Amino acid sequence: MSSPSAALARPAATTGRPLVRLPKTRGFRAFVGLGVFFLVWQLLTTTGIVDGFMLPSPIAVAEALWQMAIDGSLWVHLGASLQRVAIGYLIACVVGIALGLLCGWWRTVSDYVRPVIEALRPIPPLAWIPITILWFGLGDAASYFLVFLGAVFPAFVATYTAVRSLDRNQMNAALCLGAKPSMLLFDVLIPASLPIVLPGLRIALGIGWMCVVTAELIAAQTGLGYLIQQSRTLFQINNVVAGMVTIGLVGLAMSAALEQVERRVNAWAPSERL
Amino acid sequence: MTMTKAAAAAPSGPSAQIEIGNVGKVYGTAGDGAVIALDGVSLTIARGEFVSLLGPSGCGKSTLLNILAGFQPATTGRILQDGHPITGPDPSRTVVFQDYALFGWMTVQKNVEFGLKAKGVGRAERAERARALIDTVRLTGFEDKYPHEISGGMKQRAAIARALAPDPDILLMDEPFGALDAQTRVLLQEEIARISSEAGKTVVFVTHGIEEAVFLADRVVVMSPRPGRIREEVLVPLPRPRTAEMRSDPWFVSTVSELWETLKPDWQKEEEVS
């Protein structure tokens, strides 16, 4: 790597050190990016470029969040949303992975099932709301169902793709080395599939999280979506945005956590190392 | 040049390890779409014999190897191993693939241990036996590397160690050096010459390289394409283990060039087809 750019960089480092040496970790950069975002937002609202009635400042939102954290309502709503997304997402994973395995493994099953799935997939969860309320009423079950609808398709597509792209020779190698079905599954099929399946499951969780809020906007009495909806009817715009910020940050945390898991599990796959 | 008919060269009786009797393989349904990959192939391979299957692409040599491995059934005819029909993959017949087919999520050590684990060998013993095999293929020091961290030649060494681990009777090699550069190829040919005469296994070696076929084998089985048939057999009188200087042996040089002359039309035809 003794490229000209490296040679040019060296004298600069010895003669004039930069004033602040920024850590090069991904986490630090994420922190800076978010910080700048909130700073710009704050400036826009304090200078009056954006009317505080149309969009409250981050400080006002933080105060609203703090209030709700102290009186406990934030945790009640957050907890309700998390529980719903967890249950709906788990069901979606089980069904999506199972269908993906079946369709990936047996061509005939795929020929029958995939057209149905591909026809259901384009229907947005929002369009399912009337029929969801008809079936499940206004309760947790409706939320589970909408989360399930949002998450099941990406989970299916990821699993199906992973199984279809398994290396025939690796399977044959395992078989001729005497692998029993359990070893074939746990030592070959699953680890070989994870680089494709895990990113799909991460996307599924993100969509599920969006769906739970959608569901709560309409068909629930708790949760972050309900909080937003209720605050809107009470003209508490600060609380509306506080709810949105919470949704965003929790979503960010979930996806960052899963990405961390992926990086560890798929460390062996060269294509996954960014 | 010693060129004999199949019947004359074929060893038989108790020393026969593999008996291929009039084997045919047809892909697709009978009719216009059917492709005859193998047609009336008969071959007997003695215990401990090293046989090269030589021919241009499309001559069915890899198909024959896959049938021997038990990865796919023959359409007609029968294949016996020690008198018993081959019905599926078995650790008494392990395969070395052209694309290595190593398990990317396992270290070299774990890859080599795979067949031992499948056999139920205990943790400590399989670590020790794998280390010994890694030493045999001269990969000591790379036990903890993942396949994507090592060169193509090293990958194939690891794959050879992995195939030797279950202590198979028969080693099946499917163009194992096809993806390697010329120098690495020559080095690995000499390694295979050494390892195969040390291990005393029956080896079936599929290749389209005339030189390596003659250099390694006790008997070169030349195949011709469309449909895949055995065209002639060449007994190699050179002693084993084969060493680098045998490449300049007059018999070796003239045999290689005569084989090239006989195979040239087939190669040219394949060139035009593809």
Side-chain angles (χ1 to χ4, degrees):
Chain A
M1 284 296 250
S2 56
S3 61
S5 64
L8 284 174
R10 208 166 295 127
T14 47
T15 53
R17 274 172 156 264
L19 288 174
V20 194
R21 209 169 256 277
L22 296 176
K24 282 179 179 161
T25 63
R26 203 169 280 150
F28 179 79
R29 286 174 178 170
F31 188 74
V32 170
L34 285 169
V36 169
F37 172 76
F38 283 115
L39 195 69
V40 169
W41 175 6
Q42 181 67 39
L43 286 175
L44 285 174
T45 45
T46 45
T47 54
I49 296 172
V50 174
D51 188 345
F53 182 73
M54 304 298 280
L55 182 68
S57 75
I59 290 173
V61 170
E63 275 169 11
L65 266 178
W66 182 245
Q67 278 307 317
M68 288 191 287
I70 287 174
D71 70 24
S73 57
L74 178 67
W75 310 118
V76 171
H77 292 305
L78 180 59
S81 293
L82 284 175
Q83 185 229 326
R84 288 181 186 128
V85 81
I87 292 174
Y89 177 65
L90 276 179
I91 301 171
C93 284
V94 170
V95 174
I97 291 173
L99 276 176
L101 285 174
L102 288 174
C103 290
W105 202 257
W106 286 288
R107 191 54 171 273
T108 330
V109 177
S110 160
D111 289 347
Y112 287 114
V113 174
R114 272 193 70 220
V116 179
I117 291 176
E118 292 300 325
L120 288 173
R121 198 155 73 104
I123 305 172
L126 212 54
W128 282 91
I129 284 178
I131 211 157
T132 305
I133 293 172
L134 186 67
W135 288 354
F136 298 99
L138 296 174
D140 284 347
S143 303
Y144 302 154
F145 183 63
L146 284 175
V147 171
F148 166 80
L149 281 175
V152 72
F153 297 112
F156 165 80
V157 170
T159 312
Y160 174 77
T161 314
V163 175
R164 290 316 293 264
S165 57
L166 282 172
D167 182 351
R168 188 73 238 174
N169 276 351
Q170 277 182 348
M171 304 267 297
N172 279 341
L175 286 172
C176 80
L177 291 166
K180 310 278 180 297
S182 68
M183 214 175 148
L184 198 63
L185 182 67
F186 291 109
D187 288 3
V188 182
L189 292 185
I190 290 177
S193 311
L194 287 181
I196 296 175
V197 170
L198 284 185
L201 293 186
R202 172 162 50 87
I203 291 165
L205 182 58
I207 296 176
W209 186 234
M210 279 166 42
C211 287
V212 78
V213 176
T214 311
E216 289 166 350
L217 281 170
I218 294 145
Q221 302 302 314
T222 49
L224 293 170
Y226 174 76
L227 169 70
I228 290 172
Q229 182 66 3
Q230 188 200 33
S231 305
R232 184 187 74 93
T233 56
L234 300 172
F235 293 104
Q236 292 170 330
I237 187 72
N238 290 6
N239 285 6
V240 169
V241 179
M244 292 168 68
V245 167
T246 310
I247 292 164
L249 291 180
V250 170
L252 172 71
M254 289 196 297
S255 123
L258 284 191
E259 227 171 298
Q260 207 61 36
V261 173
E262 274 168 46
R263 214 163 275 145
R264 196 155 303 174
V265 172
N266 297 335
W268 61 270
S271 58
E272 286 300 304
R273 294 181 308 162
L274 303 169
Chain B
M1 187 157 127
T2 341
M3 287 216 180
T4 40
K5 282 284 158 215
S12 56
S15 71
Q17 179 136 57
I18 304 170
E19 289 170 80
I20 301 166
N22 206 20
V23 159
K25 178 74 185 176
V26 181
Y27 287 109
T29 46
D32 298 332
V35 175
I36 302 168
L38 287 174
D39 184 31
V41 171
S42 294
L43 183 66
T44 304
I45 298 169
R47 192 177 305 279
E49 193 181 12
F50 195 126
V51 169
S52 289
L53 297 180
L54 172 68
S57 57
C59 74
K61 57 193 191 297
S62 287
T63 303
L64 183 56
L65 192 101
N66 280 331
I67 293 171
L68 278 174
F71 296 151
Q72 42 182 269
T75 312
T76 53
R78 56 171 204 168
I79 298 209
L80 302 179
Q81 174 186 4
D82 298 318
H84 304 289
I86 289 173
T87 53
D90 188 89
S92 66
R93 284 170 270 118
T94 56
V95 181
V96 176
F97 299 87
Q98 176 172 2
D99 64 356
Y100 325 119
L102 289 169
F103 306 125
W105 51 94
M106 294 181 193
T107 59
V108 168
Q109 176 80 21
K110 294 289 172 205
N111 265 285
V112 178
E113 281 183 25
F114 189 92
L116 298 170
K117 189 179 172 189
K119 265 191 169 176
V121 177
R123 200 175 285 269
E125 194 194 336
R126 75 180 182 239
E128 196 178 319
R129 278 165 67 178
R131 263 195 296 276
L133 283 163
I134 289 169
D135 185 54
T136 305
V137 298
R138 301 186 177 161
L139 268 184
T140 302
F142 294 91
E143 292 90 343
D144 297 328
K145 295 280 184 211
Y146 285 88
H148 73 84
E149 298 174 307
I150 58 179
S151 69
M154 291 164 97
K155 281 184 197 147
Q156 201 52 292
R157 286 167 191 268
I160 291 165
R162 182 180 67 172
L164 289 171
D167 197 21
D169 296 331
I170 303 162
L171 194 59
L172 302 168
M173 308 186 85
D174 191 4
E175 305 201 29
F177 309 144
L180 302 174
D181 64 77
Q183 290 79 349
T184 310
R185 246 181 120 100
V186 168
L187 287 177
L188 273 180
Q189 283 164 10
E190 277 149 31
E191 291 283 304
I192 281 295
R194 175 180 64 84
I195 292 166
S196 69
S197 64
E198 277 171 14
K201 310 258 180 235
T202 305
V203 184
V204 180
F205 186 96
V206 163
T207 181
H208 56 247
I210 297 171
E211 242 215 51
E212 85 180 4
V214 178
F215 177 71
L216 289 170
D218 298 315
R219 182 157 51 119
V220 179
V221 174
V222 185
M223 297 183 69
S224 60
R226 287 165 223 282
R229 282 197 177 116
I230 293 180
R231 172 195 184 125
E232 64 189 58
E233 298 187 20
V234 180
L235 287 172
V236 181
L238 300 170
R240 283 173 69 188
R242 302 288 156 76
T243 49
E245 62 272 15
M246 291 179 190
R247 290 181 201 273
S248 48
D249 181 283
W251 183 89
F252 182 87
V253 174
S254 70
T255 305
V256 168
S257 69
E258 278 172 57
L259 273 173
W260 170 233
E261 286 308 319
T262 43
L263 280 166
K264 218 173 183 174
D266 279 350
W267 247 279
Q268 278 164 341
K269 222 183 292 166
E270 280 309 303
E271 211 44 44
E272 283 154 25
V273 169
S274 58

